[in-house]
Amino acid sequence: MAFPHNRMRRLRANETLRSMVRETRLSVNDFIYPLFVCPGKEKKNPITSMPGVNQYSVDLLDKEIKELEALGIPAVLLFGIPEHKDPLGSEAASDHGPVQEATKKIKDISPELMVITDVCLCEYTSHGHCGVLNPDQTVDNDRTLELLAEEALSHARAGCDLVAPSDMMDGRVGFIRNRLDEMGFENLPIMSYAAKFASSFYGPFRDAADCAPKFGDRRSYQMDPGNINEALREVELDILEGADIVMVKPALAYLDVIKAVKEKFGMPTAAYNVSGEYSIIKAAAAQGWIHEETVMLEVMTSIKRAGADLIITYAAKDMARLI
């Protein structure tokens, strides 16, 4: 029967009813907080394009980690800014690099907090690209794989709980998996940036991680924003190579990709609510054009509703306080 016997508004009458029949629910356990680690001591550098987000030197991580622990946020995703950069990103695999030292520090402060490490070379190379360059300035996929595997291995030695290759080189998940297994880290999971698009939403992140390319762009290795079938092929290949969790990045402009990945593969699926998505909301809220908390809540709900099991977001602390 239709109206007037059926009235959809009946279950929307008050918050108690709305909450009882809500189909998609957020939990603090859904969130992963990105954390930027810089060289030096007593450094807390605000990132102006990302209000509320900072770079920290390792010695100042205590307060930040204890706050995350108190809020119940279960995991961090570490990005490192090295003291020195070179064409090969040599510091990426140093056992005393920023990510490696931060990993050890965090596990000392909060053993139960999961430390996920971003595996890529863009923060470490003097040219800002995600791999080794050929003489013609293109990225050499196969030579880069060895460096990525060594970086992941150094993170494993430091005690991370999960590695997350973000470079978008072909074959890197399998190459990293094999190297970790050979060195006795067969139980260390991999969260692959499986469908990472060449997006315009990354701008503030490049300020935070000091990793903007010095020339050109990353469209020869990151995905074309118009392609969903290619994204599914990328995800499938990463699963076959040994990925334990697959990721779609960015999130908001790619909700259809998140949904398709989850429905096709049924794998644990992460989505990265990236810097530009975060900063747009912060900027609009600062102008009084939107209500920050309710918009952020709506955004996170949409990402989870699309199929994400995990949401990497700079708003993780805000969301933990809200929910």
Side-chain angles (χ1 to χ4, degrees):
M1 289 185 181
F3 178 85
H5 300 283
N6 288 327
R7 293 178 180 265
M8 297 298 290
R9 288 180 57 189
R10 289 176 186 140
L11 298 182
R12 304 172 193 158
N14 58 66
E15 178 54 29
T16 301
L17 266 175
R18 291 192 294 271
S19 178
M20 288 173 67
V21 299
R22 188 164 293 139
E23 298 170 26
T24 304
R25 298 178 184 275
L26 291 167
S27 161
V28 70
N29 291 317
D30 298 331
F31 298 112
I32 298 168
Y33 186 63
L35 197 56
F36 299 95
V37 185
C38 64
K41 292 186 179 298
E42 298 185 5
K43 297 284 183 66
K44 181 181 177 181
N45 303 326
I47 300 159
T48 56
S49 58
M50 298 173 68
V53 180
N54 306 284
Q55 297 173 346
Y56 293 93
S57 54
V58 172
D59 61 307
L60 291 189
L61 284 175
D62 300 65
K63 184 177 179 182
E64 184 76 355
I65 296 307
K66 287 174 182 175
E67 181 184 8
L68 295 172
E69 190 176 42
L71 288 169
I73 294 169
V76 294
L77 175 59
L78 288 183
F79 297 92
I81 298 95
E83 192 163 2
H84 303 290
K85 301 188 179 199
D86 62 42
L88 298 180
S90 304
E91 215 171 300
S94 167
D95 286 339
H96 300 290
V99 166
Q100 292 83 348
E101 292 296 332
T103 297
K104 290 180 273 191
K105 176 81 169 181
I106 292 168
K107 298 310 286 187
D108 284 342
I109 299 167
S110 178
E112 297 305 312
L113 184 69
M114 176 162 285
V115 175
I116 305 168
T117 58
D118 181 82
V119 177
C120 193
L121 298 179
C122 61
E123 299 106 304
Y124 300 89
T125 55
S126 50
H127 46 73
H129 281 282
C130 299
V132 181
L133 296 183
N134 291 311
D136 64 357
Q137 304 289 276
T138 59
V139 174
D140 187 319
N141 188 97
D142 295 7
R143 286 174 62 208
T144 299
L145 299 182
E146 180 67 33
L147 300 181
L148 294 170
E150 287 304 311
E151 181 182 4
L153 184 59
S154 73
H155 295 174
R157 287 194 297 263
C160 76
D161 298 292
L162 194 152
V163 292
S166 65
D167 53 283
M168 287 302 287
M169 298 297 117
D170 291 333
R172 90 275 201 209
V173 172
F175 208 92
I176 290 169
R177 181 74 275 159
N178 288 338
R179 182 59 54 83
L180 291 173
D181 291 356
E182 287 168 3
M183 301 306 293
F185 294 103
E186 63 275 0
N187 293 319
L188 186 70
I190 295 174
M191 177 172 69
S192 166
Y193 288 65
K196 180 179 179 180
F197 290 84
S199 172
S200 296
F201 283 98
Y202 300 150
F205 174 87
R206 290 171 182 170
D207 292 339
D210 187 25
C211 65
K214 299 296 188 250
F215 58 87
D217 54 46
R218 295 177 178 148
R219 287 181 292 180
S220 68
Y221 42 101
Q222 294 178 0
M223 284 190 56
D224 188 302
N227 295 355
I228 187 169
N229 291 325
E230 182 187 4
L232 295 175
R233 292 199 298 273
E234 286 277 14
V235 171
E236 184 173 24
L237 286 169
D238 283 4
I239 293 170
L240 292 172
E241 290 176 23
D244 302 284
I245 302 170
V246 292
M247 186 202 301
V248 176
K249 179 184 181 181
L252 273 182
Y254 300 89
L255 294 174
D256 59 327
V257 181
I258 297 169
K259 181 177 176 62
V261 167
K262 188 63 179 178
E263 287 183 346
K264 182 172 178 64
F265 300 107
M267 287 282 291
T269 302
Y272 201 141
N273 175 231
V274 299
S275 60
E277 296 170 339
Y278 169 86
S279 295
I280 285 170
I281 293 174
K282 288 288 185 178
Q287 293 294 322
W289 296 336
I290 60 171
H291 186 269
E292 181 181 328
E293 291 184 350
T294 54
V295 169
M296 198 70 79
L297 188 62
E298 190 173 340
V299 163
M300 298 304 160
T301 300
S302 77
I303 296 169
K304 187 166 185 184
R305 190 180 64 242
D309 303 292
L310 304 169
I311 303 172
I312 303 158
T313 177
Y314 305 95
K317 291 194 286 186
D318 295 335
M319 292 304 303
R321 296 184 186 101
L322 270 176
I323 62 176

